Amino acid sequence: MASSDLEQLCSHINEKIGNIKRMLSLRNCGQEPTLKTTLDKIGDEIIVVNELLNKLELEIQYQEQTNHSLKELCESLEEDYKDVEHLKENIPPHLPQVTVSQNFVNASDVDPEEPVKVEEPAPTKKPPKEQRSIKEMPFITSDEFNGIPAYMKSRLTYCQINDVIKEINKAVVSKYKILHQPKKSMNSVARNLYHRFIDEETKDTKGHYFIVEADIKEFTALKADKRFHVILNILRHCRRLSEVRGGGLTRYVIT
């Protein structure tokens, strides 16, 4: 055995002997009445400190979980903000524009000493003859769009479907304005359309608003192509219209 190994072994044995001596001395101290009370108090303090450390560990775990939840919430809010910005920049063109009319005067522009003049309302004109309302097709909501099967809507977008609805409503309104128009005021074109509209009606369409492909071509710029018929199929799925066939003609009834 080398001298260096022997020295390390002796040092290790001496260290163990020293530890044993210290433990024996501490055990002897615990038997002394004057030190026993002090050691008991130290033991109690160690228990208290241990309980505090346990509470601190639980608090740290709670704060870590809270921090993780806040990070997830922050990420979710950032995604919602991006969605809102996207919606703001891509407002569907078919939505009505909101105009705010300002019918009040700022208080700072009014002289407190000057009497306020109250304008009398203008005499109301005789109300015109009540016009018959024309039923239009409601636009597809985002929830309805999301519920359309993927195979059915393919690559069509929410706005493309509602743009077609807008054109269909245009055709419906144009058609029924002619039908509701007094015959004496019709020109030759309107009169010919009127007679065609009447001929296309059946007992199944009586009391309902409907159009045919000829009305689409007459009143809109839409083409009755494959894409158009795919959208019609989607509108039937969403219960916006139904079909009534007969006489070699398909009638699209607004439901």
Side-chain angles (χ1 to χ4, degrees):
M1 181 179 293
S3 60
S4 59
D5 294 338
L6 184 59
E7 289 176 358
Q8 290 180 359
L9 180 60
C10 291
S11 175
H12 179 69
I13 293 173
N14 289 331
E15 184 181 353
K16 292 293 185 181
I17 293 172
N19 289 336
I20 292 171
K21 287 180 179 180
R22 280 192 290 273
M23 285 187 288
L24 290 173
S25 64
L26 288 173
R27 187 177 67 176
N28 294 330
C29 289
Q31 301 300 324
E32 294 183 14
T34 56
L35 297 176
K36 189 174 182 180
T37 303
T38 303
L39 290 173
D40 291 340
K41 289 182 179 180
I42 293 173
D44 294 337
E45 292 294 331
I46 291 174
I47 294 172
V48 172
V49 171
N50 185 58
E51 291 177 352
L52 290 174
L53 288 173
N54 290 335
K55 290 181 180 179
L56 180 60
E57 184 178 359
L58 292 174
E59 182 64 23
I60 291 173
Q61 292 177 356
Y62 172 75
Q63 294 297 336
E64 288 177 347
Q65 292 175 355
T66 303
N67 186 39
H68 180 70
S69 299
L70 289 174
K71 285 183 179 179
E72 290 182 345
L73 179 61
C74 184
E75 292 174 357
S76 176
L77 288 174
E78 288 179 356
E79 292 179 359
D80 291 343
Y81 177 77
K82 291 179 182 178
D83 291 341
V84 170
E85 287 296 315
H86 176 74
L87 291 173
K88 182 179 178 182
E89 295 172 1
N90 298 274
I91 298 176
H94 61 269
L95 293 180
Q97 299 295 325
V98 179
T99 56
V100 180
S101 59
Q102 195 172 15
N103 295 326
F104 59 88
V105 181
N106 294 332
S108 57
D109 298 335
V110 179
D111 188 351
E113 297 182 358
E114 184 178 351
V116 179
K117 296 180 180 179
V118 180
E119 296 183 0
E120 296 182 359
T124 56
K125 297 181 180 180
K126 186 178 180 180
K129 186 178 180 180
E130 184 180 356
Q131 297 181 349
R132 296 172 64 180
S133 61
I134 299 173
K135 183 176 182 179
E136 297 184 38
M137 186 187 302
F139 290 112
I140 298 294
T141 65
S142 58
D143 289 339
E144 287 177 311
F145 178 78
N146 294 331
I148 298 171
Y151 76 88
M152 186 178 293
K153 62 185 176 184
S154 185
R155 296 182 179 180
L156 289 170
T157 65
Y158 171 79
C159 291
Q160 287 174 333
I161 296 174
N162 279 328
D163 285 341
V164 171
I165 291 179
K166 183 177 180 181
E167 292 300 304
I168 289 176
N169 285 338
K170 180 180 176 182
V172 172
V173 171
S174 300
K175 171 183 177 178
Y176 283 90
K177 277 185 177 179
I178 294 175
L179 284 172
H180 296 167
Q181 182 180 345
K183 292 182 182 180
K184 293 182 181 179
S185 63
M186 292 181 184
N187 56 27
S188 59
V189 176
R191 191 174 293 108
N192 289 335
L193 289 172
Y194 176 86
H195 289 301
R196 176 171 71 82
F197 299 155
I198 296 299
D199 291 339
E200 291 168 349
E201 290 184 355
T202 67
K203 62 178 182 178
D204 294 324
T205 61
K206 188 174 182 181
H208 298 283
Y209 291 86
F210 73 93
I211 56 171
V212 297
E213 286 190 10
D215 301 325
I216 295 293
K217 295 177 182 178
E218 179 73 31
F219 300 114
T220 75
L222 292 176
K223 295 181 179 179
D225 52 11
K226 181 179 179 180
R227 176 176 172 273
F228 174 73
H229 286 282
V230 170
I231 294 178
L232 289 181
N233 189 33
I234 290 173
L235 297 179
R236 285 194 298 272
H237 172 78
C238 295
R239 298 182 180 179
R240 290 298 191 275
L241 57 79
S242 60
E243 290 185 0
V244 174
R245 299 175 184 268
L249 199 63
T250 301
R251 300 158 182 82
Y252 302 106
V253 182
I254 309 300
T255 56

